[in-house]
Amino acid sequence: MLVECQQCGGEVAVPSDAISGEIVSCKDCGSEYEAVIGSQGTIELKSAEKVGEDWGE
Ligand SMILES: [Zn+2]
């Protein structure tokens, strides 16, 4: 699934088996996003840069 990059308008590829919270990056500009999968299967991109490095698991 391709989602529009919020930075450059390019296409960000999100794997069809992506899980919510998966980090994807734009191949055009390198921006990183967190893929948020909705219950309807919708995919939204949240800028990972804003969230910082607080991924810790
Ligand atoms: Zn981009």
Side-chain angles (χ1 to χ4, degrees):
M1 166 130 195
L2 295 171
V3 183
E4 189 175 284
C5 175
Q6 294 158 16
Q7 299 297 321
C8 73
E11 291 174 335
V12 181
V14 180
S16 56
D17 62 349
I19 56 166
S20 204
E22 184 145 330
I23 302 301
V24 295
S25 61
C26 175
K27 63 178 169 12
D28 290 333
C29 71
S31 294
E32 292 197 320
Y33 297 98
E34 179 181 347
V36 179
I37 317 293
S39 54
Q40 309 294 315
T42 56
I43 300 179
E44 276 183 60
L45 297 182
K46 252 177 24 179
S47 175
E49 275 139 299
K50 263 186 213 156
V51 184
E53 302 191 353
D54 189 24
W55 302 116
E57 266 186 61

mmCIF file of all heavy atoms in Angstrom:
data_model
loop_
_atom_site.group_PDB
_atom_site.id
_atom_site.type_symbol
_atom_site.label_atom_id
_atom_site.label_comp_id
_atom_site.label_asym_id
_atom_site.label_seq_id
_atom_site.Cartn_x
_atom_site.Cartn_y
_atom_site.Cartn_z
ATOM 1 N N MET A 1 0.855 -1.191 0.000
ATOM 2 C CA MET A 1 0.000 0.000 0.000
ATOM 3 C C MET A 1 0.886 1.234 0.000
ATOM 4 O O MET A 1 1.884 1.311 0.710
ATOM 5 C CB MET A 1 -0.859 -0.029 1.272
ATOM 6 C CG MET A 1 -1.544 1.290 1.570
ATOM 7 S SD MET A 1 -3.280 1.015 1.876
ATOM 8 C CE MET A 1 -3.897 2.673 1.754
ATOM 9 N N LEU A 2 0.523 2.199 -0.817
ATOM 10 C CA LEU A 2 1.306 3.414 -0.898
ATOM 11 C C LEU A 2 0.550 4.564 -0.256
ATOM 12 O O LEU A 2 -0.624 4.766 -0.510
ATOM 13 C CB LEU A 2 1.612 3.752 -2.364
ATOM 14 C CG LEU A 2 2.504 2.741 -3.092
ATOM 15 C CD1 LEU A 2 2.559 3.074 -4.580
ATOM 16 C CD2 LEU A 2 3.910 2.732 -2.516
ATOM 17 N N VAL A 3 1.231 5.276 0.594
ATOM 18 C CA VAL A 3 0.631 6.416 1.276
ATOM 19 C C VAL A 3 1.459 7.648 0.920
ATOM 20 O O VAL A 3 2.680 7.574 0.802
ATOM 21 C CB VAL A 3 0.633 6.199 2.806
ATOM 22 C CG1 VAL A 3 -0.062 7.346 3.512
ATOM 23 C CG2 VAL A 3 -0.046 4.875 3.155
ATOM 24 N N GLU A 4 0.775 8.749 0.754
ATOM 25 C CA GLU A 4 1.483 9.950 0.341
ATOM 26 C C GLU A 4 2.385 10.487 1.449
ATOM 27 O O GLU A 4 1.975 10.607 2.600
ATOM 28 C CB GLU A 4 0.460 11.005 -0.062
ATOM 29 C CG GLU A 4 1.119 12.219 -0.705
ATOM 30 C CD GLU A 4 0.081 13.200 -1.211
ATOM 31 O OE1 GLU A 4 -0.530 12.939 -2.271
ATOM 32 O OE2 GLU A 4 -0.131 14.217 -0.555
ATOM 33 N N CYS A 5 3.585 10.804 1.081
ATOM 34 C CA CYS A 5 4.526 11.391 2.027
ATOM 35 C C CYS A 5 4.100 12.811 2.355
ATOM 36 O O CYS A 5 3.777 13.600 1.474
ATOM 37 C CB CYS A 5 5.927 11.397 1.407
ATOM 38 S SG CYS A 5 7.157 12.222 2.436
ATOM 39 N N GLN A 6 4.101 13.111 3.648
ATOM 40 C CA GLN A 6 3.667 14.453 4.064
ATOM 41 C C GLN A 6 4.744 15.494 3.819
ATOM 42 O O GLN A 6 4.484 16.692 3.869
ATOM 43 C CB GLN A 6 3.297 14.423 5.554
ATOM 44 C CG GLN A 6 2.086 13.555 5.816
ATOM 45 C CD GLN A 6 2.019 13.066 7.260
ATOM 46 O OE1 GLN A 6 2.699 13.594 8.124
ATOM 47 N NE2 GLN A 6 1.212 12.052 7.514
ATOM 48 N N GLN A 7 5.943 15.047 3.594
ATOM 49 C CA GLN A 7 7.035 15.992 3.403
ATOM 50 C C GLN A 7 7.237 16.346 1.939
ATOM 51 O O GLN A 7 7.393 17.501 1.590
ATOM 52 C CB GLN A 7 8.337 15.406 3.961
ATOM 53 C CG GLN A 7 8.293 15.107 5.440
ATOM 54 C CD GLN A 7 8.079 16.346 6.288
ATOM 55 O OE1 GLN A 7 8.622 17.409 6.008
ATOM 56 N NE2 GLN A 7 7.256 16.235 7.322
ATOM 57 N N CYS A 8 7.230 15.363 1.080
ATOM 58 C CA CYS A 8 7.583 15.625 -0.313
ATOM 59 C C CYS A 8 6.478 15.232 -1.286
ATOM 60 O O CYS A 8 6.582 15.494 -2.469
ATOM 61 C CB CYS A 8 8.886 14.908 -0.669
ATOM 62 S SG CYS A 8 8.712 13.126 -0.840
ATOM 63 N N GLY A 9 5.415 14.624 -0.777
ATOM 64 C CA GLY A 9 4.318 14.251 -1.660
ATOM 65 C C GLY A 9 4.588 12.985 -2.448
ATOM 66 O O GLY A 9 3.796 12.592 -3.292
ATOM 67 N N GLY A 10 5.714 12.357 -2.161
ATOM 68 C CA GLY A 10 6.055 11.110 -2.827
ATOM 69 C C GLY A 10 5.290 9.951 -2.225
ATOM 70 O O GLY A 10 4.380 10.135 -1.411
ATOM 71 N N GLU A 11 5.661 8.770 -2.635
ATOM 72 C CA GLU A 11 4.943 7.598 -2.165
ATOM 73 C C GLU A 11 5.749 6.851 -1.120
ATOM 74 O O GLU A 11 6.923 6.547 -1.320
ATOM 75 C CB GLU A 11 4.652 6.671 -3.342
ATOM 76 C CG GLU A 11 3.636 7.281 -4.289
ATOM 77 C CD GLU A 11 3.452 6.429 -5.529
ATOM 78 O OE1 GLU A 11 4.382 5.678 -5.882
ATOM 79 O OE2 GLU A 11 2.373 6.527 -6.143
ATOM 80 N N VAL A 12 5.099 6.578 -0.005
ATOM 81 C CA VAL A 12 5.722 5.801 1.048
ATOM 82 C C VAL A 12 5.104 4.417 1.018
ATOM 83 O O VAL A 12 3.885 4.266 1.121
ATOM 84 C CB VAL A 12 5.486 6.448 2.430
ATOM 85 C CG1 VAL A 12 6.157 5.631 3.531
ATOM 86 C CG2 VAL A 12 6.009 7.892 2.444
ATOM 87 N N ALA A 13 5.928 3.409 0.841
ATOM 88 C CA ALA A 13 5.421 2.047 0.752
ATOM 89 C C ALA A 13 5.220 1.470 2.144
ATOM 90 O O ALA A 13 6.137 1.438 2.957
ATOM 91 C CB ALA A 13 6.406 1.192 -0.041
ATOM 92 N N VAL A 14 4.002 1.046 2.416
ATOM 93 C CA VAL A 14 3.709 0.391 3.684
ATOM 94 C C VAL A 14 3.388 -1.069 3.373
ATOM 95 O O VAL A 14 2.473 -1.349 2.613
ATOM 96 C CB VAL A 14 2.507 1.059 4.389
ATOM 97 C CG1 VAL A 14 2.199 0.366 5.715
ATOM 98 C CG2 VAL A 14 2.785 2.539 4.614
ATOM 99 N N PRO A 15 4.158 -1.994 3.942
ATOM 100 C CA PRO A 15 3.911 -3.410 3.658
ATOM 101 C C PRO A 15 2.486 -3.799 4.025
ATOM 102 O O PRO A 15 1.929 -3.293 4.999
ATOM 103 C CB PRO A 15 4.924 -4.132 4.564
ATOM 104 C CG PRO A 15 5.942 -3.121 4.935
ATOM 105 C CD PRO A 15 5.244 -1.784 4.896
ATOM 106 N N SER A 16 1.907 -4.701 3.255
ATOM 107 C CA SER A 16 0.522 -5.084 3.514
ATOM 108 C C SER A 16 0.382 -5.788 4.852
ATOM 109 O O SER A 16 -0.697 -5.867 5.420
ATOM 110 C CB SER A 16 0.007 -5.977 2.390
ATOM 111 O OG SER A 16 0.842 -7.102 2.236
ATOM 112 N N ASP A 17 1.487 -6.314 5.352
ATOM 113 C CA ASP A 17 1.422 -6.983 6.653
ATOM 114 C C ASP A 17 1.995 -6.107 7.771
ATOM 115 O O ASP A 17 2.373 -6.594 8.825
ATOM 116 C CB ASP A 17 2.156 -8.329 6.599
ATOM 117 C CG ASP A 17 3.639 -8.159 6.272
ATOM 118 O OD1 ASP A 17 4.043 -7.035 5.888
ATOM 119 O OD2 ASP A 17 4.378 -9.138 6.391
ATOM 120 N N ALA A 18 2.065 -4.817 7.491
ATOM 121 C CA ALA A 18 2.597 -3.904 8.504
ATOM 122 C C ALA A 18 1.718 -3.930 9.746
ATOM 123 O O ALA A 18 0.503 -4.102 9.664
ATOM 124 C CB ALA A 18 2.664 -2.485 7.946
ATOM 125 N N ILE A 19 2.354 -3.778 10.869
ATOM 126 C CA ILE A 19 1.593 -3.677 12.110
ATOM 127 C C ILE A 19 1.548 -2.215 12.539
ATOM 128 O O ILE A 19 2.393 -1.413 12.150
ATOM 129 C CB ILE A 19 2.238 -4.521 13.231
ATOM 130 C CG1 ILE A 19 3.699 -4.110 13.444
ATOM 131 C CG2 ILE A 19 2.115 -6.001 12.911
ATOM 132 C CD1 ILE A 19 4.291 -4.637 14.719
ATOM 133 N N SER A 20 0.560 -1.892 13.342
ATOM 134 C CA SER A 20 0.446 -0.524 13.810
ATOM 135 C C SER A 20 1.694 -0.173 14.613
ATOM 136 O O SER A 20 2.129 -0.924 15.484
ATOM 137 C CB SER A 20 -0.810 -0.377 14.668
ATOM 138 O OG SER A 20 -1.245 0.952 14.681
ATOM 139 N N GLY A 21 2.252 0.976 14.313
ATOM 140 C CA GLY A 21 3.459 1.386 15.003
ATOM 141 C C GLY A 21 4.725 1.079 14.226
ATOM 142 O O GLY A 21 5.807 1.469 14.621
ATOM 143 N N GLU A 22 4.554 0.373 13.123
ATOM 144 C CA GLU A 22 5.717 0.056 12.305
ATOM 145 C C GLU A 22 6.312 1.336 11.703
ATOM 146 O O GLU A 22 5.584 2.240 11.314
ATOM 147 C CB GLU A 22 5.293 -0.889 11.171
ATOM 148 C CG GLU A 22 6.458 -1.341 10.323
ATOM 149 C CD GLU A 22 6.273 -2.783 9.849
ATOM 150 O OE1 GLU A 22 5.626 -3.582 10.547
ATOM 151 O OE2 GLU A 22 6.796 -3.100 8.773
ATOM 152 N N ILE A 23 7.618 1.375 11.667
ATOM 153 C CA ILE A 23 8.283 2.547 11.106
ATOM 154 C C ILE A 23 8.547 2.326 9.621
ATOM 155 O O ILE A 23 9.120 1.314 9.231
ATOM 156 C CB ILE A 23 9.620 2.816 11.824
ATOM 157 C CG1 ILE A 23 9.378 3.020 13.319
ATOM 158 C CG2 ILE A 23 10.311 4.041 11.219
ATOM 159 C CD1 ILE A 23 8.458 4.160 13.661
ATOM 160 N N VAL A 24 8.076 3.265 8.828
ATOM 161 C CA VAL A 24 8.324 3.206 7.402
ATOM 162 C C VAL A 24 9.016 4.500 6.997
ATOM 163 O O VAL A 24 8.906 5.515 7.682
ATOM 164 C CB VAL A 24 7.004 3.038 6.611
ATOM 165 C CG1 VAL A 24 6.356 1.707 6.929
ATOM 166 C CG2 VAL A 24 6.039 4.184 6.900
ATOM 167 N N SER A 25 9.735 4.449 5.914
ATOM 168 C CA SER A 25 10.398 5.675 5.493
ATOM 169 C C SER A 25 10.166 5.940 4.017
ATOM 170 O O SER A 25 9.971 5.017 3.224
ATOM 171 C CB SER A 25 11.897 5.598 5.803
ATOM 172 O OG SER A 25 12.488 4.526 5.116
ATOM 173 N N CYS A 26 10.166 7.208 3.702
ATOM 174 C CA CYS A 26 9.970 7.643 2.325
ATOM 175 C C CYS A 26 11.263 7.424 1.554
ATOM 176 O O CYS A 26 12.325 7.853 1.986
ATOM 177 C CB CYS A 26 9.587 9.114 2.318
ATOM 178 S SG CYS A 26 9.455 9.804 0.670
ATOM 179 N N LYS A 27 11.144 6.744 0.427
ATOM 180 C CA LYS A 27 12.363 6.475 -0.316
ATOM 181 C C LYS A 27 12.838 7.716 -1.061
ATOM 182 O O LYS A 27 13.969 7.787 -1.500
ATOM 183 C CB LYS A 27 12.169 5.300 -1.264
ATOM 184 C CG LYS A 27 11.128 5.511 -2.335
ATOM 185 C CD LYS A 27 11.092 4.290 -3.232
ATOM 186 C CE LYS A 27 9.924 4.226 -4.203
ATOM 187 N NZ LYS A 27 9.114 5.382 -4.403
ATOM 188 N N ASP A 28 11.967 8.676 -1.205
ATOM 189 C CA ASP A 28 12.352 9.892 -1.919
ATOM 190 C C ASP A 28 13.094 10.884 -1.031
ATOM 191 O O ASP A 28 14.122 11.415 -1.402
ATOM 192 C CB ASP A 28 11.124 10.555 -2.532
ATOM 193 C CG ASP A 28 10.555 9.732 -3.686
ATOM 194 O OD1 ASP A 28 11.340 8.995 -4.317
ATOM 195 O OD2 ASP A 28 9.351 9.814 -3.950
ATOM 196 N N CYS A 29 12.554 11.159 0.150
ATOM 197 C CA CYS A 29 13.166 12.202 0.983
ATOM 198 C C CYS A 29 13.729 11.645 2.289
ATOM 199 O O CYS A 29 14.391 12.361 3.025
ATOM 200 C CB CYS A 29 12.169 13.323 1.261
ATOM 201 S SG CYS A 29 10.847 12.869 2.384
ATOM 202 N N GLY A 30 13.434 10.395 2.575
ATOM 203 C CA GLY A 30 14.023 9.781 3.755
ATOM 204 C C GLY A 30 13.276 10.049 5.051
ATOM 205 O O GLY A 30 13.714 9.613 6.111
ATOM 206 N N SER A 31 12.156 10.748 4.983
ATOM 207 C CA SER A 31 11.388 11.011 6.192
ATOM 208 C C SER A 31 10.874 9.696 6.775
ATOM 209 O O SER A 31 10.469 8.801 6.042
ATOM 210 C CB SER A 31 10.189 11.909 5.880
ATOM 211 O OG SER A 31 10.624 13.182 5.490
ATOM 212 N N GLU A 32 10.902 9.617 8.087
ATOM 213 C CA GLU A 32 10.418 8.406 8.726
ATOM 214 C C GLU A 32 9.049 8.649 9.335
ATOM 215 O O GLU A 32 8.779 9.695 9.913
ATOM 216 C CB GLU A 32 11.401 7.958 9.805
ATOM 217 C CG GLU A 32 12.708 7.479 9.208
ATOM 218 C CD GLU A 32 13.512 6.652 10.194
ATOM 219 O OE1 GLU A 32 13.550 7.016 11.376
ATOM 220 O OE2 GLU A 32 14.094 5.645 9.761
ATOM 221 N N TYR A 33 8.222 7.643 9.212
ATOM 222 C CA TYR A 33 6.866 7.730 9.742
ATOM 223 C C TYR A 33 6.532 6.482 10.521
ATOM 224 O O TYR A 33 7.044 5.401 10.244
ATOM 225 C CB TYR A 33 5.847 7.848 8.597
ATOM 226 C CG TYR A 33 5.994 9.092 7.774
ATOM 227 C CD1 TYR A 33 6.673 9.055 6.575
ATOM 228 C CD2 TYR A 33 5.463 10.292 8.217
ATOM 229 C CE1 TYR A 33 6.827 10.199 5.812
ATOM 230 C CE2 TYR A 33 5.609 11.442 7.465
ATOM 231 C CZ TYR A 33 6.289 11.391 6.263
ATOM 232 O OH TYR A 33 6.445 12.519 5.522
ATOM 233 N N GLU A 34 5.624 6.688 11.458
ATOM 234 C CA GLU A 34 5.037 5.553 12.139
ATOM 235 C C GLU A 34 3.721 5.260 11.438
ATOM 236 O O GLU A 34 2.875 6.138 11.292
ATOM 237 C CB GLU A 34 4.791 5.912 13.613
ATOM 238 C CG GLU A 34 4.149 4.800 14.405
ATOM 239 C CD GLU A 34 3.905 5.225 15.852
ATOM 240 O OE1 GLU A 34 4.445 6.264 16.280
ATOM 241 O OE2 GLU A 34 3.173 4.515 16.534
ATOM 242 N N ALA A 35 3.559 4.041 10.984
ATOM 243 C CA ALA A 35 2.310 3.653 10.331
ATOM 244 C C ALA A 35 1.287 3.297 11.400
ATOM 245 O O ALA A 35 1.536 2.462 12.258
ATOM 246 C CB ALA A 35 2.550 2.459 9.410
ATOM 247 N N VAL A 36 0.145 3.972 11.339
ATOM 248 C CA VAL A 36 -0.921 3.690 12.294
ATOM 249 C C VAL A 36 -2.049 3.014 11.536
ATOM 250 O O VAL A 36 -2.667 3.605 10.651
ATOM 251 C CB VAL A 36 -1.414 4.990 12.953
ATOM 252 C CG1 VAL A 36 -2.543 4.696 13.937
ATOM 253 C CG2 VAL A 36 -0.266 5.705 13.655
ATOM 254 N N ILE A 37 -2.274 1.759 11.846
ATOM 255 C CA ILE A 37 -3.291 0.986 11.133
ATOM 256 C C ILE A 37 -4.613 1.091 11.878
ATOM 257 O O ILE A 37 -4.696 0.738 13.055
ATOM 258 C CB ILE A 37 -2.885 -0.495 11.033
ATOM 259 C CG1 ILE A 37 -1.402 -0.650 10.667
ATOM 260 C CG2 ILE A 37 -3.789 -1.228 10.050
ATOM 261 C CD1 ILE A 37 -1.034 -0.200 9.300
ATOM 262 N N GLY A 38 -5.617 1.588 11.191
ATOM 263 C CA GLY A 38 -6.934 1.702 11.809
ATOM 264 C C GLY A 38 -7.673 0.378 11.778
ATOM 265 O O GLY A 38 -7.280 -0.561 11.077
ATOM 266 N N SER A 39 -8.769 0.314 12.524
ATOM 267 C CA SER A 39 -9.521 -0.930 12.591
ATOM 268 C C SER A 39 -10.164 -1.272 11.251
ATOM 269 O O SER A 39 -10.507 -2.421 10.992
ATOM 270 C CB SER A 39 -10.584 -0.843 13.684
ATOM 271 O OG SER A 39 -11.391 0.295 13.475
ATOM 272 N N GLN A 40 -10.339 -0.279 10.396
ATOM 273 C CA GLN A 40 -10.918 -0.528 9.077
ATOM 274 C C GLN A 40 -9.833 -0.853 8.048
ATOM 275 O O GLN A 40 -10.119 -0.937 6.862
ATOM 276 C CB GLN A 40 -11.693 0.701 8.593
ATOM 277 C CG GLN A 40 -12.701 1.237 9.584
ATOM 278 C CD GLN A 40 -13.836 0.276 9.847
ATOM 279 O OE1 GLN A 40 -14.392 -0.304 8.920
ATOM 280 N NE2 GLN A 40 -14.162 0.072 11.099
ATOM 281 N N GLY A 41 -8.616 -0.963 8.519
ATOM 282 C CA GLY A 41 -7.531 -1.243 7.594
ATOM 283 C C GLY A 41 -6.962 0.004 6.954
ATOM 284 O O GLY A 41 -6.149 -0.071 6.051
ATOM 285 N N THR A 42 -7.396 1.146 7.439
ATOM 286 C CA THR A 42 -6.843 2.380 6.916
ATOM 287 C C THR A 42 -5.445 2.590 7.467
ATOM 288 O O THR A 42 -5.131 2.129 8.560
ATOM 289 C CB THR A 42 -7.715 3.584 7.305
ATOM 290 O OG1 THR A 42 -7.849 3.608 8.728
ATOM 291 C CG2 THR A 42 -9.090 3.475 6.679
ATOM 292 N N ILE A 43 -4.633 3.248 6.702
ATOM 293 C CA ILE A 43 -3.264 3.513 7.140
ATOM 294 C C ILE A 43 -3.038 5.014 7.210
ATOM 295 O O ILE A 43 -3.307 5.732 6.267
ATOM 296 C CB ILE A 43 -2.243 2.869 6.185
ATOM 297 C CG1 ILE A 43 -2.458 1.358 6.156
ATOM 298 C CG2 ILE A 43 -0.823 3.211 6.608
ATOM 299 C CD1 ILE A 43 -1.516 0.638 5.219
ATOM 300 N N GLU A 44 -2.583 5.453 8.363
ATOM 301 C CA GLU A 44 -2.204 6.846 8.514
ATOM 302 C C GLU A 44 -0.734 6.889 8.862
ATOM 303 O O GLU A 44 -0.223 6.020 9.555
ATOM 304 C CB GLU A 44 -2.982 7.485 9.662
ATOM 305 C CG GLU A 44 -4.364 7.982 9.282
ATOM 306 C CD GLU A 44 -5.013 8.664 10.473
ATOM 307 O OE1 GLU A 44 -4.448 9.648 10.973
ATOM 308 O OE2 GLU A 44 -6.062 8.176 10.914
ATOM 309 N N LEU A 45 -0.085 7.944 8.428
ATOM 310 C CA LEU A 45 1.314 8.108 8.774
ATOM 311 C C LEU A 45 1.456 9.208 9.809
ATOM 312 O O LEU A 45 0.916 10.286 9.664
ATOM 313 C CB LEU A 45 2.124 8.477 7.529
ATOM 314 C CG LEU A 45 2.156 7.431 6.415
ATOM 315 C CD1 LEU A 45 3.045 7.921 5.286
ATOM 316 C CD2 LEU A 45 2.658 6.102 6.931
ATOM 317 N N LYS A 46 2.179 8.875 10.853
ATOM 318 C CA LYS A 46 2.503 9.872 11.864
ATOM 319 C C LYS A 46 3.989 10.129 11.764
ATOM 320 O O LYS A 46 4.768 9.187 11.705
ATOM 321 C CB LYS A 46 2.209 9.296 13.261
ATOM 322 C CG LYS A 46 1.006 9.894 13.899
ATOM 323 C CD LYS A 46 0.645 9.311 15.246
ATOM 324 C CE LYS A 46 1.712 8.652 16.076
ATOM 325 N NZ LYS A 46 1.186 8.165 17.362
ATOM 326 N N SER A 47 4.363 11.386 11.771
ATOM 327 C CA SER A 47 5.782 11.680 11.653
ATOM 328 C C SER A 47 6.550 11.088 12.822
ATOM 329 O O SER A 47 6.261 11.369 13.980
ATOM 330 C CB SER A 47 5.993 13.194 11.594
ATOM 331 O OG SER A 47 7.378 13.462 11.604
ATOM 332 N N ALA A 48 7.510 10.247 12.512
ATOM 333 C CA ALA A 48 8.292 9.613 13.568
ATOM 334 C C ALA A 48 9.241 10.617 14.207
ATOM 335 O O ALA A 48 9.616 10.486 15.356
ATOM 336 C CB ALA A 48 9.070 8.433 13.007
ATOM 337 N N GLU A 49 9.612 11.623 13.447
ATOM 338 C CA GLU A 49 10.568 12.594 13.971
ATOM 339 C C GLU A 49 9.985 13.386 15.136
ATOM 340 O O GLU A 49 10.678 13.736 16.059
ATOM 341 C CB GLU A 49 11.026 13.528 12.852
ATOM 342 C CG GLU A 49 12.165 12.913 12.070
ATOM 343 C CD GLU A 49 12.024 13.152 10.575
ATOM 344 O OE1 GLU A 49 11.039 12.704 9.992
ATOM 345 O OE2 GLU A 49 12.895 13.799 10.009
ATOM 346 N N LYS A 50 8.698 13.653 15.049
ATOM 347 C CA LYS A 50 8.050 14.384 16.140
ATOM 348 C C LYS A 50 8.038 13.580 17.424
ATOM 349 O O LYS A 50 8.137 14.112 18.503
ATOM 350 C CB LYS A 50 6.610 14.696 15.758
ATOM 351 C CG LYS A 50 6.450 16.093 15.192
ATOM 352 C CD LYS A 50 4.982 16.389 14.979
ATOM 353 C CE LYS A 50 4.809 17.300 13.776
ATOM 354 N NZ LYS A 50 3.484 17.178 13.190
ATOM 355 N N VAL A 51 7.904 12.290 17.268
ATOM 356 C CA VAL A 51 7.785 11.435 18.439
ATOM 357 C C VAL A 51 9.138 11.264 19.113
ATOM 358 O O VAL A 51 9.229 10.947 20.283
ATOM 359 C CB VAL A 51 7.209 10.061 18.029
ATOM 360 C CG1 VAL A 51 6.990 9.184 19.246
ATOM 361 C CG2 VAL A 51 5.899 10.248 17.273
ATOM 362 N N GLY A 52 10.190 11.509 18.349
ATOM 363 C CA GLY A 52 11.511 11.381 18.917
ATOM 364 C C GLY A 52 11.957 9.944 18.981
ATOM 365 O O GLY A 52 11.523 9.114 18.189
ATOM 366 N N GLU A 53 12.803 9.656 19.911
ATOM 367 C CA GLU A 53 13.393 8.325 19.941
ATOM 368 C C GLU A 53 12.861 7.495 21.093
ATOM 369 O O GLU A 53 13.531 6.633 21.620
ATOM 370 C CB GLU A 53 14.912 8.456 20.025
ATOM 371 C CG GLU A 53 15.443 9.254 18.839
ATOM 372 C CD GLU A 53 16.940 9.179 18.736
ATOM 373 O OE1 GLU A 53 17.571 8.633 19.656
ATOM 374 O OE2 GLU A 53 17.489 9.676 17.739
ATOM 375 N N ASP A 54 11.663 7.799 21.451
ATOM 376 C CA ASP A 54 11.068 7.126 22.598
ATOM 377 C C ASP A 54 10.349 5.855 22.172
ATOM 378 O O ASP A 54 9.183 5.655 22.425
ATOM 379 C CB ASP A 54 10.095 8.084 23.296
ATOM 380 C CG ASP A 54 9.611 7.537 24.622
ATOM 381 O OD1 ASP A 54 10.340 6.707 25.195
ATOM 382 O OD2 ASP A 54 8.525 7.925 25.059
ATOM 383 N N TRP A 55 11.067 5.025 21.454
ATOM 384 C CA TRP A 55 10.445 3.793 20.981
ATOM 385 C C TRP A 55 10.579 2.678 21.999
ATOM 386 O O TRP A 55 9.904 1.679 21.920
ATOM 387 C CB TRP A 55 11.100 3.308 19.696
ATOM 388 C CG TRP A 55 11.026 4.308 18.624
ATOM 389 C CD1 TRP A 55 12.078 4.939 18.027
ATOM 390 C CD2 TRP A 55 9.858 4.823 18.001
ATOM 391 N NE1 TRP A 55 11.618 5.808 17.094
ATOM 392 C CE2 TRP A 55 10.282 5.758 17.055
ATOM 393 C CE3 TRP A 55 8.490 4.583 18.177
ATOM 394 C CZ2 TRP A 55 9.389 6.459 16.267
ATOM 395 C CZ3 TRP A 55 7.603 5.274 17.378
ATOM 396 C CH2 TRP A 55 8.056 6.198 16.444
ATOM 397 N N GLY A 56 11.499 2.865 22.876
ATOM 398 C CA GLY A 56 12.000 1.803 23.742
ATOM 399 C C GLY A 56 11.019 0.712 24.065
ATOM 400 O O GLY A 56 9.899 0.931 24.480
ATOM 401 N N GLU A 57 11.451 -0.491 23.854
ATOM 402 C CA GLU A 57 10.599 -1.612 24.220
ATOM 403 C C GLU A 57 11.294 -2.496 25.193
ATOM 404 O O GLU A 57 12.497 -2.662 25.082
ATOM 405 C CB GLU A 57 10.242 -2.421 22.981
ATOM 406 C CG GLU A 57 8.920 -1.958 22.407
ATOM 407 C CD GLU A 57 8.489 -2.869 21.258
ATOM 408 O OE1 GLU A 57 8.298 -4.065 21.515
ATOM 409 O OE2 GLU A 57 8.345 -2.373 20.152
HETATM 410 ZN ZN ZN B 1 9.090 12.003 1.130
#
